[in-house]
Amino acid sequence: MALVDALGNLFNLVLLPGQAHDLKGVAPLIEDVAFDALLADKAFDADWLLAELDVRGASAVIPPKANRKIKRNYDRHAYKWRHLVENFFAKIKEFRAIATRYEKTACSYTANWHLVATILAAK
């Protein structure tokens, strides 16, 4: 799970087990982080997350899931900027060690993510 800033640079990273749903990594990812809006895809449309964002005063730019009984409105124009997250992952996967996960430990793998993110931000 990665949190990127408005320019598409890595802000925070949380590694999850392969079988875990991405929603489990949101709480530690946004803990103690101040932001005005959270842009995420439909997988992050959860009541607890929407309530948390409401308490923080941040807007949720998350499209509602298809199975929601009451569809929420979201800012479709702002949602178009979510491509910055996808662009970040595309750039990071250009580095072979990240894409194929050569590192044996989570600590080494996380360190490589931060190293590559620093290289990309410096370009």
Side-chain angles (χ1 to χ4, degrees), residues 4 19 26 29 38-39 43 46 59 66 94 101 106 109 117:
V4 299
Q19 71 277 13
V26 173
L29 192 65
L38 179 70
L39 283 71
S59 61
E94 290 176 8
R101 194 170 178 153
Y109 189 62

Side-chain angles (χ1 to χ4, degrees), residues 6-63:
L7 299 175
N9 297 319
L10 183 66
F11 185 81
N12 198 359
L13 174 75
V14 173
L15 282 182
L16 297 173
Q19 71 277 13
H21 190 275
D22 288 344
L23 199 54
K24 290 184 179 184
V26 173
L29 192 65
I30 64 173
E31 185 178 351
D32 299 328
V33 177
F35 51 85
D36 294 327
L38 179 70
L39 283 71
D41 62 5
K42 290 181 181 185
F44 297 93
D45 180 25
D47 292 332
W48 71 265
L49 180 57
L50 297 172
E52 170 73 20
L53 294 175
D54 193 38
V55 167
R56 289 177 174 225
S59 61
V61 185
I62 303 171

Side-chain angles (χ1 to χ4, degrees), residues 46-110:
D47 292 332
W48 71 265
L49 180 57
L50 297 172
E52 170 73 20
L53 294 175
D54 193 38
V55 167
R56 289 177 174 225
S59 61
V61 185
I62 303 171
K65 288 183 185 175
N67 64 352
R68 271 213 182 259
K69 292 181 182 176
I70 300 171
K71 301 289 183 191
R72 296 180 291 101
N73 291 329
Y74 68 100
D75 188 351
R76 292 177 187 268
H77 181 70
Y79 185 71
K80 291 179 183 177
W81 288 97
R82 198 182 71 78
H83 74 88
L84 293 172
V85 177
E86 301 301 330
N87 291 352
F88 171 74
F89 278 103
K91 287 182 214 171
I92 215 109
K93 288 181 180 179
E94 290 176 8
F95 292 81
R96 189 170 174 211
I98 297 287
T100 56
R101 194 170 178 153
Y102 282 158
E103 300 302 321
K104 300 294 182 202
T105 64
C107 182
S108 301
Y109 189 62
T110 304

